[in-house]
Amino acid sequence: MNKINLPQAAKLTSPNPVSVVCTMKPDGSTNLATVSWWTYLSFNPNMIAYAMAKTSYSGEMVRNTKKVILTIPGAEIADAVMGCGSTTGRNMDKAEKFGIELAEIEGNSIKIPFHSRVAIQCSLKEYYEVGNHYLYICNVEQVYGNDAEEALFAWNGYSQLRPAK
Ligand SMILES: Cc1cc2nc3c(=O)[nH]c(=O)nc-3n(C[C@H](O)[C@H](O)[C@H](O)COP(=O)(O)O)c2cc1C
């Protein structure tokens, strides 16, 4: 074994998961941000967790509204998902900028990318400071799936987004 740094370890563990975190902005529109680190936490009750940099606009939104939908994007929107991971929604509508078609979820004002394999609708339970990130612990309210969409994964660390097969 050789000594390596964590980003190098992330390359060795590729493919890594990719999600799009959907939150509501003050004007009612949806912000989309690419997040690789998330996990199932508990199946009774259903809970998930994800972590985002303290500076992220999405973090500010979920801490304010306590609502978030974590989605697994479909392969068709790979380039747009990379775009959502390299820009902030603070002064921009990412769905419009990257041409992401949005879909509504019943009874929810947060929209999701139409091309999603899974959508996990959550309420924020609590969050913890972890270095330069916050770890968000969420209660799952509803889960949606569409196996016709092929899930995206991050390859070569986080530099490429494509399916696992
Ligand atoms: C493939 C990929 C994976 C990413 N994973 C994470 C992550 O797990 N946590 C995080 O804080 N940012 C992650 N990012 C970066 C955020 O998406 C980026 O900081 C984005 O600008 C945040 O947008 P916002 O300010 O609108 O919330 C990732 C970016 C890419 C391209």
Side-chain angles (χ1 to χ4, degrees):
M1 298 283 271
N2 300 316
K3 280 189 180 171
I4 57 172
N5 59 32
L6 267 183
Q8 287 170 323
K11 282 190 180 175
L12 296 185
T13 59
S14 293
N16 295 309
V18 171
S19 72
V20 171
V21 163
C22 311
T23 51
M24 193 170 78
K25 292 166 66 158
D27 67 359
S29 66
T30 294
N31 191 44
L32 306 171
T34 310
V35 167
S36 248
W37 195 86
W38 78 277
T39 189
Y40 298 104
L41 278 184
S42 162
F43 292 115
N44 185 20
N46 288 334
M47 295 173 74
I48 64 160
Y50 67 94
M52 284 199 85
K54 284 179 177 171
T55 51
S56 76
Y57 187 57
S58 304
E60 210 175 304
M61 295 303 100
V62 75
R63 293 193 302 278
N64 286 345
T65 65
K66 314 280 185 230
K67 295 288 176 193
V68 60
I69 306 178
L70 186 138
T71 64
I72 305 306
E76 279 185 55
I77 56 170
D79 292 345
V81 172
M82 194 55 103
C84 290
S86 51
T87 51
T88 179
R90 206 169 285 278
N91 297 305
M92 182 206 292
D93 184 326
K94 296 195 209 180
E96 197 179 300
K97 162 104 178 148
F98 299 112
I100 300 176
E101 184 184 348
L102 296 178
E104 291 195 6
I105 274 188
E106 201 186 315
N108 202 311
S109 38
I110 305 175
K111 295 181 180 168
I112 62 166
F114 175 81
H115 290 292
S116 296
R117 184 171 168 90
V118 169
I120 306 173
Q121 176 188 317
C122 303
S123 61
L124 178 65
K125 180 169 187 283
E126 54 205 323
Y127 64 96
Y128 297 95
E129 189 176 351
V130 282
N132 62 355
H133 280 52
Y134 287 121
L135 173 67
Y136 297 97
I137 312 278
C138 300
N139 288 318
V140 173
E141 295 175 340
Q142 193 58 260
V143 188
Y144 300 87
N146 178 3
D147 64 9
E149 297 282 349
E150 204 176 357
L152 275 179
F153 288 83
W155 288 84
N156 193 27
Y158 305 106
S159 65
Q160 271 189 318
L161 300 184
R162 52 188 166 86
K165 289 180 228 161

